[in-house]
Amino acid sequence: MEKYDLIIWAHHGMFAAGPDFDTTFGLMHTAEKSAEILVKTLSMTSKKRQTITSDDFRSLARDFNLSLPEEFLYEKE
């Protein structure tokens, strides 16, 4: 929790931290909704039909004035 605001603990749940309740709840809600969408998509097909590239993430982060850890931005084979 020193490095990230959200930790996903496999088979247990999530821990989140933020400056206030609304921000922290929003962070958890976003992660939970993203996981729900992924599970539903994977239940229909194992092939992803749409993807977002690392450069697309960088562009979004720049537009929203956010910083993203480069260690998570890599092209998958």
Side-chain angles (χ1 to χ4, degrees):
M1 299 296 299
E2 290 179 18
K3 192 171 181 180
Y4 301 107
D5 293 335
L6 180 74
I7 304 291
I8 299 173
W9 189 12
H11 308 292
H12 293 283
M14 294 184 281
F15 290 102
D20 55 49
F21 177 80
D22 288 337
T23 303
T24 306
F25 183 83
L27 179 62
M28 287 193 75
H29 186 260
T30 300
E32 182 180 10
K33 192 63 165 177
S34 299
E36 180 184 352
I37 291 168
L38 177 63
V39 168
K40 287 179 179 180
T41 301
L42 292 176
S43 73
M44 292 182 265
T45 179
S46 60
K47 182 180 178 189
K48 292 183 183 178
R49 299 191 179 270
Q50 296 177 349
T51 59
I52 184 168
T53 66
S54 295
D55 286 337
D56 291 336
F57 274 115
R58 287 181 187 101
S59 178
L60 283 168
R62 186 175 47 254
D63 291 345
F64 285 95
N65 198 29
L66 300 171
S67 62
L68 297 175
E70 281 294 319
E71 64 193 283
F72 298 122
L73 299 176
Y74 57 90
E75 297 301 323
K76 296 185 179 180
E77 298 174 12

